Amino acid sequence: MAGRGPTGPRSTEYAWLITGPLALIAIVCATVVGLVAPQPFGGWSLALPLLVAMVAAGLPVLNFTVRRQSLGVTLTEIPLVLAFYLVEPLTVVVIYTVASAVTHLRHRFGATKFWFNVARAAAGSSLAVLVLQALPPVHGVGPGTWLKLFFAASMVNLLSIASVAGVHTLLQGWQAGRGTLRQSMPALLAAMINIASGMIVLILIATTWWSLLLLGALVVALALVYRAYAQFFRQHRTLTDMYELSRAVSESGEYGTLPDALLGRVRALMQAEYATLWLPAQGRHPEVLLTARNDAPGLLDFAKTPAAVRERARDEGRTVAVGRGLTTDGDLRAPLSSHRVKDVIVLPLRSGQAVIGTLEVANRLGDSNHFVRTDVPLFETVAAHAAVALENSRLVDRLRHDASHDTLTRLPNRRRITSALEEAVKIRAPGEVVALLLFDVDRLRQVNESLGHAAGDKVLVEVADRLRSCVPSSALVGRAGGDEFLVTLRLESAEAAMELAAQLREQIRDEMVFDALTLDVDTAVGVAVHPDHGSDPASLLQRVDLAATAAKSVPGSVQLFTPTLESRSLRRLGLAGDLRRALDTGGLEVYFQPKVTLRDRRLVGVECLARWEHPAHGTVAPEDFVAVAEHTGQLGRFTEFVLREGLRRSRDWTHAGQPLAVAVNLSARTLTDQHFPARVRELLDEYGVPPHRLTLEIKEAGVLDGTDRPIPTLRRLGDLGVRLSVDDFGTGDSSLAHLRRLPVHEVKVDRSFVQGMATDPGDLAIVNAVVTLSQQFGLAVVAEGVESELTLELLQDIGCEIGQGFLFSRPLPYERLEAWFGAQVDPETISPGELPRLRVVP
């Protein structure tokens, strides 16, 4: 059976259980005194002055601080000692009880507390006079009298402390009762000082009543000294508390700890039962409503202040103070009474002219204490510090958020993803992998250049939204930068990561509609997993980048990282310095592949192809060292090297009576160099080669990249008389109709279609269509990859003019090409003005 849980504090009505016995003690003790005292009542002529003195001594509370402990002191023991000596016993009980009633009526205590204090005073004074009756009679003002009066007055204080501890125990438990007893020592010390002071006054009065004049002057002087001390100490304490508050707020650091540092100290500084911070929802910050209560160790998520008071302070942007000593908004007293709030101060927190929240204190501690007007300026100073601290904390929080998030998509950035990936790698469970997916948006550059960066930003935001909505709830989506997005999550295997990547890519590929424009956006996806592909975030990010780069070579593909990708990347990285040395020392070589007319077998020219035999790596693939040249700023030197070699050989062949055209491949990046056409003119003039004998070949994606950027360079090259050729036509998304607006003279059909003509009707139809349309547009057609007699016959049948491939010759170095000329060219066909004809086609 479950036990009963702890109960909360009891109602104050239970204090009657202590008040009743105290009243009974007072009645019994007074009755006994009345029976045994020779003269129970008397001395009424002095009773009234003593009553006035007791009321006057009980109203002010003198507060002293010793070693940061506050000690409240009243002076009621002084007139009480005089009453014990000067008037009859029951007269003492009457005036002490009446003085207590008047004092507590002045403090406006509730009925329960009022009658408890009256009964406590009656019981204490009755017990004290009973003790005096039991002791030998008092004579004179000697040491014997001191001890008797001291003992009697101490009984009043002991009974008072015991009764208060009993009430606290009854209402709040044994812990509260023990706490009251532990804290009673300063009160007993103050009572002893007051009793001793009362005896000194008694000795002076017994000597001469004129001493009252001196005592009066002394009291006035002490009052002035105390007032100055209290004011000085209050200012010192306020400055100290403000300093501690400011330091605690500045050291609180993150926004989540600021209310803890702020509210507890505000409540203590203002001596309030409640201190509340309210911040409305703002942006990504939720609403904050937290309260520090006097008897609660933590913060509570409620407010004692009525909402109407808070709303007025916020809407009107001013301080709202309601209470006995605060009359700025008297119409709000009714809501306060319904919430059992005696007084409240609500201040708006400002950031510039805007109100960002409120800071509130309610219920000044002590039934007799209230907030006064002088508390408002102090609280306003506190609120000003709090507003600055809150705004700074939100600014810091915003800066931290911005430092780890992308400003456009609001997704975590690469830094945040790296941190999350680091944590995920540390706590990976057996039987699972930590997958990292990199989505690279295709053709975003064309969107930016054609439609503007605003359209590109819309594409990125849409991709981010689709990824957010499609990924599993356990995944973290972020933007790595530019057109790249990262997704990391835990999965059971690398195959599951590949499957998820394919699904996400398909969902991203849906049409994107922006106003009247519809875009079809695709992505290339790289995948890497821990622990198979890396043990730390840096290596995983590096390898998923390699996988995504590899995926770009096959549009719209999903590529899982393999070690071969890294070895190729490392190899390219190491080739950068070697390529520079090769260009400096002549380590590169140019090979030539003949281009032949298909009808009459005449040699019309050669294509210049760079080759590199690396001393350590052997033969380096052209796509590798061209990519290295592009990414290391050596593309210009590399292109000029091939151009010089081709033009030099064309000049030599012309001088030998064999005028042959040369074709040189260009990178798409070369078309962005505005100085390139002028450099071509200089080289043509330097080697004396007519412009029409130079053909510049550019891949289809470089000529038609979706922008007009290459057009000016192409037109300037065309104006020089140089022939322009579109290489690898058919592998991109363009059509021949797009070429009509460009100064293009030739189309080269990609080898993949030519080599498949003999076996694939689709490839045959593509080549046939390209040849037919090109001829209608006045463009020459060159077929690459002619490797069989059947392919040659098919090309002849559809009317293709020029071909090149292994059927005629492989790419050859200059010396071997000269030998090939001697073996393949029929000398009898060589005549001035005619191209040489091949003897046979092996």
Side-chain angles (χ1 to χ4, degrees):
M1 183 174 65
R4 181 177 299 178
T7 60
R10 290 174 172 158
S11 170
T12 56
E13 296 299 322
Y14 280 85
W16 288 104
L17 297 177
I18 303 296
T19 303
L22 288 175
L24 181 61
I25 292 173
I27 294 172
V28 171
C29 291
T31 302
V32 173
V33 170
L35 294 175
V36 302
Q39 187 176 350
F41 294 97
W44 294 106
S45 59
L46 296 175
L48 183 58
L50 289 172
L51 174 61
V52 173
M54 289 181 183
V55 172
L59 287 176
V61 178
L62 307 183
N63 291 289
F64 299 93
T65 299
V66 180
R67 294 185 179 179
R68 304 191 61 79
Q69 296 296 322
S70 181
L71 178 63
V73 178
T74 61
L75 305 177
T76 53
E77 288 85 0
I78 295 176
L80 181 60
V81 169
L82 298 178
F84 284 147
Y85 185 82
L86 297 174
V87 298
E88 301 303 331
L90 292 185
T91 305
V92 175
V93 174
V94 171
I95 62 175
Y96 189 70
T97 304
V98 172
S100 176
V102 172
T103 301
H104 293 97
L105 280 174
R106 176 69 176 77
H107 291 325
R108 297 187 179 183
F109 287 165
T112 303
K113 196 167 187 178
F114 171 78
W115 288 113
F116 167 77
N117 285 291
V118 171
R120 179 167 60 94
S125 58
S126 299
L127 181 60
V129 297
L130 180 60
V131 170
L132 282 176
Q133 292 300 314
L135 295 174
V138 174
H139 296 289
V141 290
T145 300
W146 301 349
L147 293 175
K148 295 172 186 177
L149 295 180
F150 181 85
F151 189 70
S154 297
M155 294 303 299
V156 176
N157 286 284
L158 291 174
L159 182 64
S160 177
I161 291 173
S163 59
V164 171
V167 168
H168 286 176
T169 301
L170 182 64
L171 300 183
Q172 300 179 7
W174 290 105
Q175 288 293 105
R178 285 196 293 267
T180 301
L181 293 176
R182 283 196 301 267
Q183 296 172 6
S184 63
M185 293 306 298
L188 285 176
L189 176 61
M192 293 178 185
I193 295 174
N194 287 339
I195 294 171
S197 300
M199 292 179 182
I200 293 173
V201 174
L202 177 61
I203 294 171
L204 293 174
I205 292 175
T207 303
T208 174
W209 285 93
W210 290 102
S211 60
L212 291 175
L213 296 177
L214 297 177
L215 290 174
L218 180 61
V219 169
V220 171
L222 291 176
L224 293 175
V225 171
Y226 173 76
R227 182 177 179 181
Y229 158 80
Q231 183 177 4
F232 169 79
F233 178 76
R234 190 182 304 113
Q235 294 174 349
H236 174 74
R237 182 65 179 271
T238 300
L239 290 175
T240 301
D241 290 343
M242 287 296 298
Y243 170 75
E244 292 182 352
L245 173 64
S246 300
R247 185 178 63 178
V249 167
S250 63
E251 293 177 352
S252 61
E254 298 180 1
Y255 173 73
T257 64
L258 182 58
D260 300 86
L262 175 67
L263 291 178
R265 287 172 172 79
V266 168
R267 189 203 59 74
L269 176 64
M270 299 302 296
Q271 299 178 27
E273 183 180 4
Y274 298 94
T276 300
L277 173 67
W278 174 71
L279 300 173
Q282 181 181 5
R284 63 183 184 85
H285 297 288
E287 181 184 21
V288 174
L289 182 63
L290 295 172
T291 296
R293 192 174 66 188
N294 182 41
D295 57 351
L299 297 184
L300 309 175
D301 57 352
F302 78 98
K304 187 70 172 176
T305 310
V309 182
R310 183 180 308 111
E311 291 171 1
R312 177 170 298 184
R314 178 196 62 187
D315 297 340
E316 299 182 7
R318 64 177 181 85
T319 301
V320 175
V322 186
R324 177 180 172 185
L326 306 166
T327 57
T328 58
D329 294 83
D331 59 312
L332 294 175
R333 287 187 177 180
L336 290 184
S337 299
S338 63
H339 286 73
R340 296 184 178 180
V341 177
K342 67 177 181 178
D343 50 4
V344 65
I345 304 176
V346 180
L347 288 176
L349 300 176
R350 296 181 180 276
S351 175
Q353 297 299 320
V355 176
I356 62 173
T358 61
L359 188 62
E360 311 160 13
V361 287
N363 287 356
R364 189 68 174 266
L365 289 176
D367 292 340
S368 62
N369 296 326
H370 297 81
F371 292 121
V372 295
R373 291 185 179 275
T374 55
D375 292 324
V376 175
L378 173 62
F379 194 34
E380 288 176 342
T381 304
V382 173
H385 281 280
V388 172
L390 288 168
E391 190 66 14
N392 289 342
S393 65
R394 282 193 168 182
L395 176 61
V396 171
D397 182 64
R398 184 162 58 249
L399 291 175
R400 287 176 177 169
H401 179 273
D402 291 345
S404 60
H405 288 77
D406 173 54
T407 56
L408 176 64
T409 62
R410 299 299 178 185
L411 290 176
N413 58 17
R414 193 180 190 94
R415 178 186 299 175
R416 176 70 182 89
I417 288 287
T418 302
S419 177
L421 192 59
E422 185 175 2
E423 293 298 321
V425 167
K426 289 180 180 178
I427 57 176
R428 181 186 68 88
E432 68 177 12
V433 299
V434 178
L436 185 62
L437 284 56
L438 177 61
F439 293 80
D440 192 302
V441 181
D442 289 340
R443 294 179 298 177
L444 182 66
R445 179 178 176 183
Q446 287 86 339
V447 173
N448 287 332
E449 294 176 346
S450 302
L451 305 176
H453 286 275
D457 290 345
K458 289 182 179 179
V459 170
L460 292 174
V461 171
E462 180 65 21
V463 171
D465 292 341
R466 291 186 181 185
L467 277 175
R468 256 191 303 239
S469 61
C470 297
V471 299
S473 58
S474 60
L476 178 63
V477 182
R479 184 184 176 195
D483 54 2
E484 296 179 342
F485 293 86
L486 287 168
V487 177
T488 180
L489 74 165
R490 301 175 185 277
L491 292 171
E492 58 272 16
S493 64
E495 291 73 19
M498 291 288 291
E499 182 178 352
L500 175 63
Q503 293 174 357
L504 294 177
R505 174 182 161 269
E506 288 300 320
Q507 292 171 339
I508 293 175
R509 290 184 64 190
D510 290 343
E511 291 182 345
M512 297 183 184
V513 180
F514 303 107
D515 298 328
L517 183 66
T518 300
L519 297 178
D520 186 11
V521 178
D522 202 354
T523 57
V525 190
V527 180
V529 298
H530 167 78
D532 299 346
H533 303 144
S535 58
D536 59 274
S539 58
L540 287 172
L541 287 167
Q542 175 191 357
R543 288 162 183 172
V544 79
D545 276 332
L546 292 174
T549 301
K552 292 179 185 178
S553 60
V554 181
S557 71
V558 178
Q559 175 68 52
L560 181 68
F561 171 80
T562 59
T564 56
L565 296 176
E566 187 170 39
S567 61
R568 183 175 181 182
S569 175
L570 291 173
R571 185 185 181 195
R572 283 187 176 183
L573 184 63
L575 290 177
D578 297 338
L579 177 61
R580 182 176 291 105
R581 286 188 290 272
L583 288 170
D584 292 337
T585 60
L588 293 180
E589 190 175 0
V590 175
Y591 280 39
F592 305 91
Q593 186 173 28
K595 299 169 69 174
V596 180
T597 58
L598 301 182
R599 287 291 179 190
D600 52 9
R601 310 294 197 277
R602 291 191 180 276
L603 183 64
V604 295
V606 294
E607 181 178 0
C608 302
L609 301 169
R611 294 293 184 264
W612 185 13
E613 192 71 22
H614 193 279
H617 300 295
T619 302
V620 182
E623 58 268 22
D624 285 342
F625 62 77
V626 170
V628 171
E630 289 180 340
H631 290 89
T632 58
Q634 303 181 71
L635 183 61
R637 288 189 63 196
F638 173 75
T639 303
E640 183 175 338
F641 165 75
V642 179
L643 272 172
R644 282 185 174 277
E645 186 67 13
L647 292 175
R648 184 168 67 90
R649 297 305 180 185
S650 178
R651 180 194 62 189
D652 295 344
W653 289 324
T654 300
H655 292 167
Q658 296 181 351
L660 293 177
V662 292
V664 176
N665 290 288
L666 294 184
S667 169
R669 292 193 179 188
T670 303
L671 298 181
T672 63
D673 183 2
Q674 60 181 346
H675 303 294
F676 180 70
R679 187 58 181 155
V680 172
R681 175 187 290 276
E682 293 174 1
L683 292 175
L684 289 171
D685 294 342
E686 179 180 346
Y687 289 98
V689 177
H692 68 273
R693 288 187 186 163
L694 173 63
T695 301
L696 299 178
E697 298 182 2
I698 308 101
K699 291 184 182 295
E700 178 187 356
V703 178
L704 298 170
D705 63 352
T707 70
D708 294 334
R709 185 174 52 188
I711 294 178
T713 302
L714 291 173
R715 293 194 185 282
R716 291 176 61 192
L717 290 172
D719 293 342
L720 293 177
V722 172
R723 290 176 56 81
L724 299 176
S725 175
V726 179
D727 198 6
D728 297 341
F729 188 81
T731 58
D733 298 331
S734 60
S735 65
L736 283 170
H738 294 155
L739 301 180
R740 298 182 62 185
R741 59 192 180 97
L742 300 176
V744 177
H745 307 88
E746 178 182 284
V747 173
K748 297 187 73 174
V749 185
D750 186 68
R751 69 179 67 250
S752 61
F753 300 115
V754 175
Q755 292 174 350
M757 290 176 59
T759 57
D760 189 341
D763 288 342
L764 178 60
I766 291 174
V767 176
N768 187 21
V770 171
V771 171
T772 303
L773 290 175
S774 298
Q775 291 174 347
Q776 291 179 358
F777 291 147
L779 302 176
V781 181
V782 178
E784 294 183 292
V786 181
E787 297 183 358
S788 67
E789 291 286 350
L790 180 57
T791 300
L792 177 63
E793 292 176 2
L794 291 173
L795 289 171
Q796 289 174 337
D797 292 342
I798 63 178
C800 185
E801 303 168 357
I802 303 172
Q804 69 181 88
F806 290 176
L807 180 65
F808 306 114
S809 173
R810 294 174 178 273
L812 300 171
Y814 178 75
E815 293 76 11
R816 292 182 58 189
L817 181 67
E818 289 293 316
W820 183 86
F821 281 162
Q824 300 296 330
V825 175
D826 187 353
E828 298 179 357
T829 65
I830 301 177
S831 60
E834 291 189 1
L835 296 171
R837 178 180 296 174
L838 301 186
R839 180 181 292 134
V840 294
V841 177

